[in-house]
Amino acid sequence: MKSLYLILLFSFSTTLLFSQALSYTDPASGYLKVMLEKGGDGTYQQIGNFKVIGTSYLYGEKIKGSAYASKDKSENIELSYNTYTQQLDVYVSNSSKAFLKPANEIDSFILFKSKSNTLKSDLLFYSSKLISPSIKSSFLQVIYNGKRFSLYKAYNSTLDYVSTNYIQAELRQFTLDYSYCYYDSLTKQFKKLKLNKNKIINEFKSIKDFSELLDDDGFNNNLEEILKMLFTNLNNN
């Protein structure tokens, strides 16, 4: 009986820690890691001389959503956001063939919250051309849209070595990187945020003192919510 109790306690603790770890990591990166650990779909993509496993599509392919361009819109269709090529695959009229749209041909798109809980909320993306002409053509997720300061998340897939397989020199896997950046509509500046508590305090010290609002635990464990809180404060200044 005691052994059974210890096993159940260990299982509960492991599950709790795993759930907490997932809640503190970027969910899109977590999705890719889980997919790689499960072996993906057993296929690879040929890119140049490399055979690449995993996926460059954010949360996988064919997610329900809507896409908008200056003279056109497609609503309640299937979309696939390729973070490696920065293209949006648009499926219309239940077609199995996608229209590939680069960021300079799309104004914005939305990925809808999924019933499978892969997406816990709708995700809105802007084309970088709407934010600043100085930004490399790409899509940016809108995290916080403010009257002066707006916060965005940029996703980008890169090719990385497969740590469990060094024998096949041509084998690679997709790694999903992300960064946070902001736009100041007053100064017209678009800047990447350095994800360090002290650097963020220094970044905005001329506008507001955040030294008493930030603590290490909150900043390290719940970064995106902390950033939303900061940008709400900045816009209410």
Side-chain angles (χ1 to χ4, degrees), residues 27 31 62 73 77 85 92 94 99 116 126 146 151-152 157 161-162 171 178 180 199 223 235:
Y31 173 89
K62 294 187 176 181
K73 64 180 180 180
I77 57 171
T85 63
V92 294
N94 296 318
F99 293 95
S116 64
Y126 283 169
L151 177 67
Y152 304 95
S157 283
Y161 288 100
V162 181
L171 195 64
Y178 66 92
Y180 291 94
K199 290 188 181 298
L223 176 61
N235 283 287

Side-chain angles (χ1 to χ4, degrees), residues 83-170:
T83 58
Y84 184 73
T85 63
Q86 291 300 319
Q87 287 182 320
L88 187 67
D89 297 6
V90 180
Y91 298 84
V92 294
S93 303
N94 296 318
S95 173
S96 59
K97 187 176 178 63
F99 293 95
L100 306 184
K101 297 291 185 180
N104 60 2
E105 293 183 12
I106 295 286
D107 289 342
S108 63
F109 69 90
I110 302 172
L111 299 179
F112 294 151
K113 176 182 176 181
S114 59
K115 294 180 180 178
S116 64
N117 289 327
T118 301
L119 292 180
K120 296 185 181 296
S121 61
D122 293 349
L123 304 184
L124 171 63
F125 290 82
Y126 283 169
S127 168
S128 57
K129 69 177 182 179
L130 295 183
I131 302 167
S132 174
S134 64
I135 310 172
K136 180 182 176 183
S137 183
S138 61
F139 292 108
L140 299 169
Q141 183 189 347
V142 181
I143 304 300
Y144 183 90
N145 202 353
K147 59 184 179 181
R148 175 179 173 182
F149 295 98
S150 294
L151 177 67
Y152 304 95
K153 181 188 279 188
Y155 284 105
N156 179 57
S157 283
T158 56
L159 306 186
D160 208 351
Y161 288 100
V162 181
S163 60
T164 56
N165 190 332
Y166 288 107
I167 298 174
Q168 294 175 271
E170 77 283 4

Side-chain angles (χ1 to χ4, degrees), residues 173-187:
Q173 70 181 30
F174 284 111
T175 298
L176 185 63
D177 300 318
Y178 66 92
S179 59
Y180 291 94
C181 38
Y182 75 93
Y183 180 70
D184 182 344
S185 62
L186 182 64
T187 64

Side-chain angles (χ1 to χ4, degrees), residues 179-233:
S179 59
Y180 291 94
C181 38
Y182 75 93
Y183 180 70
D184 182 344
S185 62
L186 182 64
T187 64
K188 309 298 182 186
Q189 283 189 313
F190 180 84
K191 295 181 69 176
K192 183 177 178 179
L193 275 177
K194 295 179 179 178
L195 299 181
N196 173 283
K197 185 185 74 172
N198 292 328
K199 290 188 181 298
I200 287 181
I201 290 171
N202 289 332
E203 180 75 20
F204 299 110
K205 65 181 180 181
S206 63
I207 301 167
K208 194 152 191 173
D209 182 10
F210 286 128
S211 57
E212 294 185 2
L213 287 177
L214 289 178
D215 62 81
D216 291 326
D217 287 341
F219 189 82
N220 294 330
N221 295 333
N222 208 0
L223 176 61
E224 195 160 297
E225 291 304 314
I226 293 294
L227 291 177
K228 287 181 186 177
M229 179 269 291
L230 294 183
F231 274 77
T232 301
N233 273 270

